[in-house]
Amino acid sequence: MLQVIKNRKTYFIISGILVILSAAAVLTFGLKLGIDFTGGTLSEVQFEGDRPARDAIENIISTQNIEGAKIQPLGESGYLLRMPFIIEEQHNALIASFDEQFGESWREDRFETVGPSISTELREKTFYAIGVVVIAIILYIAWAFRSVSEPVRSWKFGVSAIGALVHDVIIPTGIFAVLGRFAGVEVDILFVTALLTILGFSVNDTIVTFDRIRENLLKRKHDSFELIVNDSVNQTITRSINTSVTTLLALLAVYIFGGDTTRTFILTLMIGVVVGTYSSLFLASPLLVEWYKRSK
């Protein structure tokens, strides 16, 4: 049997180091924001047969006086063009240049434009969405565990879960700050969707363990709180790991065989599943015990 509660300070140190490094990465490098948050234009072009060299695409864009464009290979025969905000006349001129260069051997499969006002609104709504989710989780857990009042109050279960969720959000964000700095990986609205998905996955895993703690508290009134929590974690650890491994296998398959446009989303989920599983087993419940002992 794992002595999770006995060794909780070791897990706190590990989590603390990861959170500090992640927060430092975010503060030092920042996130490389995509056009969803900065505003701009996204175009996806596909070619028949061999894909032309990147230089040919760069020359076409430069002739239209579009500065700051980024060209990313897409699949086996396409490119993803990330450009500053362009108006319809510039877009039409760009299409005409592609027609002149490649004739009918190319097509534009996707064109999106996000204005600065929309991107600002998205940034604001991102913070609102995460804040609402956090408050809702605390209230729900407090209500779900209302039958538990001793030795800890029901709302403390919710706050401990939120402590683990903060850990689960900061670490993937820090990793993507590093990836943005050294690999040019951008975060967009799918990154936010992935973070919210991670919150749901992690809190679900945490609630399973907390629910076992609640059941054991009602059955074993004469055992110590630390022993009950440690036994509850051990009773649910196999289930949590099996669920996470099967989820990771499915995500890995999508990451390898899926399209380039979803890889950032899938990579965020994979990191979140690993971090969320760790926190639900080795952080949330130990936080609850630590709070209980300090209250005594």
Side-chain angles (χ1 to χ4, degrees):
M1 178 180 291
L2 290 175
Q3 297 300 320
V4 176
I5 302 305
K6 181 180 179 180
N7 299 318
R8 64 185 180 278
K9 292 185 178 180
T10 301
Y11 303 127
F12 290 161
I13 292 172
I14 294 173
S15 295
I17 292 173
L18 292 176
V19 168
I20 291 172
L21 291 176
S22 299
V26 174
L27 294 175
T28 303
F29 304 133
L31 292 171
K32 190 175 181 63
L33 301 177
I35 66 169
D36 291 340
F37 298 113
T38 61
T41 300
L42 187 69
S43 176
E44 181 180 319
V45 295
Q46 293 288 338
F47 298 88
E48 296 179 4
D50 294 335
R51 178 169 54 196
R54 185 194 297 262
D55 293 342
I57 308 299
E58 290 177 348
N59 291 334
I60 292 176
I61 295 176
S62 63
T63 58
Q64 301 301 320
N65 297 321
I66 299 174
E67 299 180 355
K70 297 178 180 179
I71 304 172
Q72 174 186 340
L74 184 65
E76 297 180 356
S77 60
Y79 283 109
L80 187 64
L81 312 180
R82 299 178 184 272
M83 301 170 285
F85 179 77
I86 63 175
I87 59 177
E88 185 176 355
E89 287 77 7
Q90 290 175 299
H91 180 223
N92 292 335
L94 189 63
I95 290 178
S97 297
F98 270 91
D99 287 336
E100 182 180 351
Q101 180 76 19
F102 303 110
E104 297 182 355
S105 63
W106 82 284
R107 68 181 187 276
E108 184 178 49
D109 288 345
R110 178 185 176 194
F111 180 79
E112 296 179 3
T113 297
V114 179
S117 60
I118 296 177
S119 61
T120 301
E121 183 181 358
L122 281 174
R123 286 199 300 268
E124 294 175 353
K125 288 186 175 180
T126 295
F127 292 110
Y128 293 152
I130 294 177
V132 168
V133 168
V134 168
I135 294 173
I137 288 173
I138 293 176
L139 294 177
Y140 172 75
I141 294 179
W143 176 81
F145 290 83
R146 63 191 182 281
S147 61
V148 178
S149 59
E150 293 295 337
V152 293
R153 296 286 183 178
S154 60
W155 60 269
K156 292 184 178 181
F157 283 86
V159 176
S160 297
I162 293 303
L165 293 182
V166 170
H167 166 276
D168 299 342
V169 169
I170 290 178
I171 292 178
T173 304
I175 291 174
F176 271 84
V178 175
L179 291 176
R181 174 64 175 81
F182 296 104
V185 177
E186 296 181 347
V187 299
D188 53 16
I189 197 64
L190 282 178
F191 176 75
V192 178
T193 305
L195 288 183
L196 294 175
T197 306
I198 291 169
L199 291 180
F201 179 89
S202 179
V203 78
N204 175 73
D205 222 15
T206 301
I207 286 179
V208 169
T209 304
F210 281 179
D211 195 52
R212 185 58 58 90
I213 294 173
R214 177 180 60 177
E215 293 176 356
N216 288 332
L217 282 173
L218 297 175
K219 295 177 181 178
R220 300 161 55 180
K221 296 183 181 297
H222 300 292
D223 289 337
S224 67
F225 184 59
E226 296 94 321
L227 177 61
I228 290 175
V229 173
N230 192 76
D231 289 348
S232 300
V233 171
N234 278 276
Q235 290 167 9
T236 57
I237 190 170
T238 301
R239 176 262 180 202
S240 296
I241 292 176
N242 288 341
T243 301
S244 299
V245 169
T246 53
T247 303
L248 281 172
L249 290 175
L251 291 174
L252 183 62
V254 177
Y255 182 81
I256 295 174
F257 301 108
D260 293 338
T261 55
T262 61
R263 284 190 175 175
T264 298
F265 174 71
I266 299 300
L267 179 60
T268 309
L269 288 180
M270 292 171 67
I271 296 170
V273 167
V274 174
V275 174
T277 302
Y278 170 84
S279 70
S280 64
L281 294 172
F282 303 109
L283 187 60
S285 298
L287 279 174
L288 197 62
V289 173
E290 188 68 20
W291 197 346
Y292 161 75
K293 291 181 71 67
R294 290 182 180 274
S295 297
K296 287 185 64 178

